[in-house]
Amino acid sequence: MSEPTASGATPVSRAMQTIRGLRAELAALRGGRTVAVVGVGLRAPGGVADMDGYWRLLAAGGDAVRPIPEHRRQPFGDSWDEVPHRGGFLDEVLEFDAPFFGVAPREARALDPQQRLLLEVAWEALEDAGLARPGGNCGLYVGVTGQDYREWMPGESDVYWATGNGHCFAAGRLAHTLGLTGPVAAVDTACSSSLVTVHLARQALATGECDVALAGGVNLVLSPRATEFAARTGALSPDGECRPFDARANGFTRAEGCGVVVLKRLADAVRDGDRVHAVIHGSAVNHDGAASGFTAPSVAAQTALVERALADAGLGPADIGYVETHGTGTALGDPIEVEALAEALGRPGGAPVLLGAAKANLGHTESAAGVLGLLKAMLSLRHRAAPPVPHFTTLNPRIDLEGTGFRVPDRLEPWPAGAGAYAGVSSFGMSGTNAHVILGGAPASVAPPAGQAVEVTGFEVSARTPAALRVYAGLLAAHLTTVKDEDYPAFAYTLTHGRAALATRVRVAAADREQARAALEALAEDRECPAAEFLDRGAEPSFAGLPRRVLTLPAYPWERRRYAPPAAERP
């Protein structure tokens, strides 16, 4: 029998105290690694420019793949006809608000449209987070692979083409523009790039290298040459349809997109009153190693990846109710991925797990695919539903779902009863680098307060130019018709303190939503408005007493114009 010490403690009680201490340390360590998604910016095919638009496309089972638009063919013209040219194309990628970001016209013409898109989307992500300026101690990780715009270069290169097209400059320019001094890196692991950036950002937050981090990726299809190379590998669908998990799967189609998330440690987000879209509980990155071929996926590596991410999150297989897969729609890749998921998640107990694949809606957005998959999983958690997978009719005979509980939804399906509350997201690179992230919904403890009476006397609104201010005021006035009276303080806070103070700045006196709408409509129509006062540059911020609560508002109205080399100008 254990003898007590003078203090009354026995070896058993001391051991239990040690165990409790170790558990507390582990919980604290995991707490530092638990990361909140507090802001989102995105562009995707189908005219998607925000999370609501993305969900509408996904929930309806929409297919945004189409032939390359005629105005996107220049400067290569008929060369596009020699390669598969159905894809998930954005409408216009050469237009850009260069003056907003301090970019001169000559430099703008040489600037890779991927960098242009990143600047806009990252700015919108910070606006969504209600962070006018994230501060110097902010990290940035950008996934970028393609360099198609180099092929547009007329004649010899100059310094603008050099700094406008290198991968490192995509991250460096964004950090310079935003004034970030934390860790900054461009990441190229092919198709897994943007999900790898989320893992790296999470690590940097956990170790204290930064207090806020931006992570994401971008991909544009600007030349037929890269498509020709992809076609030679046999990975592209000849008919331009991506059919994940289906018996007719014959490859993917290329696509464009951009996504950026703003991340903070969850404890910091709660402390700061941030709006939390979702919570990242675990992540992992590994490599296929000596697989059967350099670009061949590995069941063992993918299984180990998911198991490691689960262990990192402190969760088990039964906790996962949805997986946003890599799902390229290739006859070999899909069966390997599902087999690995079955090993890691599906066999024990056969609990329900729904499988999704955004590539069926968008095409393969390559270096942006991981973050767009992450955003889809966030939406599924928010709506407690899994969108249908377009083009799925008959299961690929190489895929065995028996005993797994896996199901591919063919309609918008509610989160299954008995399914785990968390979602996994996978992204695999042709280079062999794989990433997996474990997501959960926003905890109730950080849900926005409702019904709190807050006195509001007004707000500020600003834009770079008077013309942009008029457009923005019109957008905000229209948006106010959808805002509840109890959310008006959040509207005022977000607009005043969650947006950067730009050159054309107005203070609006408005005690309620209707007064605000009337004043904004007057500004939009350039009518005299006694409630509006234009402020001098450098004027002190107003309405300091508004409590922090972030509300979704219309994005900034970019004043874009087309920047392209002369050979690519429209006739």
Side-chain angles (χ1 to χ4, degrees):
M1 183 173 179
S2 300
E3 293 294 329
T5 63
S7 64
T10 67
V12 172
S13 65
R14 289 196 301 273
M16 291 302 297
Q17 185 175 2
T18 300
I19 291 171
R20 285 193 292 269
L22 290 171
R23 283 176 174 167
E25 289 180 16
L26 180 60
L29 178 62
R30 284 204 174 117
R33 294 177 62 81
T34 304
V35 168
V37 181
V38 299
V40 172
L42 79 154
R43 297 285 190 283
V48 171
D50 56 34
M51 290 288 272
D52 288 343
Y54 195 19
W55 181 249
R56 285 192 295 271
L57 175 73
L58 295 169
D63 182 357
V65 171
R66 57 175 174 162
I68 184 171
E70 284 299 317
H71 69 274
R72 292 284 310 274
R73 286 175 166 263
Q74 294 302 321
F76 302 101
D78 293 342
S79 297
W80 286 104
D81 294 329
E82 300 171 10
V83 299
H85 55 271
R86 282 180 55 83
F89 292 101
L90 302 183
D91 291 330
E92 177 56 71
V93 297
L94 295 177
E95 293 181 355
F96 175 53
D97 193 346
F100 185 94
F101 295 104
V103 179
R106 181 182 173 189
E107 185 175 12
R109 284 191 290 272
L111 187 62
D112 186 343
Q114 294 181 127
Q115 291 194 33
R116 309 179 198 182
L117 192 55
L118 268 172
L119 286 165
E120 290 188 4
V121 172
W123 185 274
E124 291 171 10
L126 288 169
E127 284 195 335
D128 184 65
L131 295 175
R133 290 290 184 183
N137 194 26
C138 177
L140 170 67
Y141 299 87
V142 172
V144 56
T145 296
Q147 291 189 328
D148 288 0
Y149 199 58
R150 288 184 181 275
E151 298 177 39
W152 294 49
M153 184 176 65
E156 294 186 7
S157 175
D158 61 18
V159 65
Y160 291 130
W161 280 93
T163 59
N165 289 270
H167 288 167
C168 61
F169 298 113
R173 183 184 300 276
L174 184 51
H176 168 77
T177 302
L178 298 176
L180 311 183
T181 59
V184 173
V187 175
D188 180 6
T189 59
C191 311
S192 59
S193 299
S194 59
L195 204 61
V196 171
T197 71
V198 173
H199 174 76
L200 295 175
R202 181 171 171 264
Q203 287 185 321
L205 288 164
T207 59
E209 286 186 86
C210 56
D211 296 320
V212 181
L214 280 75
V218 63
N219 189 64
L220 292 177
V221 181
L222 300 172
S223 162
R225 182 173 298 182
T227 303
E228 179 186 355
F229 292 155
R232 288 179 183 175
T233 69
L236 293 188
S237 168
D239 56 14
E241 283 194 355
C242 186
R243 305 179 181 91
F245 318 122
D246 194 83
R248 299 166 299 147
N250 60 355
F252 63 84
T253 186
R254 302 190 70 204
E256 302 175 321
C258 181
V260 175
V261 291
V262 183
L263 307 176
K264 294 177 73 171
R265 291 179 288 270
L266 178 60
D268 292 352
V270 173
R271 177 199 66 200
D272 297 340
D274 292 314
R275 174 182 56 179
V276 175
H277 291 292
V279 176
I280 298 174
H281 293 271
S283 63
V285 169
N286 74 359
H287 194 274
D288 289 331
S292 59
F294 174 52
T295 60
S298 163
V299 172
Q302 291 181 20
T303 301
L305 176 79
V306 176
E307 290 174 342
R308 189 180 303 170
L310 281 171
D312 185 49
L315 299 172
D319 292 308
I320 303 300
Y322 175 82
V323 177
E324 177 59 24
T325 66
H326 187 59
T328 52
T330 55
L332 178 63
D334 290 352
I336 287 176
E337 180 172 10
V338 174
E339 183 179 349
L341 287 172
E343 290 298 320
L345 301 176
R347 301 298 181 194
V353 180
L354 297 178
L355 304 181
K359 294 176 182 65
N361 306 91
L362 309 176
H364 190 352
T365 54
E366 299 168 14
S367 48
V371 70
L372 290 177
L374 183 84
L375 297 183
K376 180 185 172 186
M378 286 169 50
L379 286 165
S380 294
L381 286 165
R382 178 189 299 177
H383 294 279
R384 306 301 298 166
V389 176
H391 314 304
F392 176 75
T393 57
T394 304
L395 186 68
N396 184 329
R398 294 191 178 97
I399 296 176
D400 179 13
L401 300 184
E402 186 176 354
T404 64
F406 291 170
R407 189 163 66 249
V408 181
D410 58 5
R411 55 182 174 80
L412 184 63
E413 186 167 337
W415 205 274
Y422 298 84
V425 183
S426 290
S427 195
F428 310 137
M430 187 176 285
S431 63
T433 299
N434 311 308
H436 191 81
V437 169
I438 305 292
L439 277 174
S445 60
V446 296
Q452 293 185 354
V454 177
E455 183 181 0
V456 180
T457 58
F459 56 87
E460 288 187 11
V461 59
S462 70
R464 191 184 69 85
T465 67
L469 181 70
R470 290 192 293 273
V471 174
Y472 201 20
L475 293 171
L476 292 166
H479 184 73
L480 267 173
T481 62
T482 68
V483 173
K484 299 176 182 177
D485 287 335
E486 58 265 32
D487 290 333
Y488 178 57
F491 174 91
Y493 172 86
T494 304
L495 202 51
T496 305
H497 301 294
R499 299 288 186 268
L502 302 173
T504 305
R505 183 172 155 209
V506 178
R507 180 187 295 133
V508 177
D512 58 38
R513 188 170 59 91
E514 287 305 314
Q515 291 180 17
R517 187 165 64 88
L520 288 166
E521 286 176 348
L523 286 170
E525 296 166 8
D526 204 18
R527 291 187 279 110
E528 186 173 338
C529 179
E533 175 190 1
F534 282 81
L535 302 177
D536 294 332
R537 185 184 292 270
E540 288 297 314
S542 309
F543 313 111
L546 290 168
R548 178 166 173 79
R549 185 177 162 214
V550 178
L551 192 69
T552 297
L553 297 181
Y556 183 83
W558 306 110
E559 297 178 283
R560 301 184 182 100
R561 56 158 290 191
R562 183 181 170 92
Y563 294 93
E569 289 295 351
R570 292 171 181 161

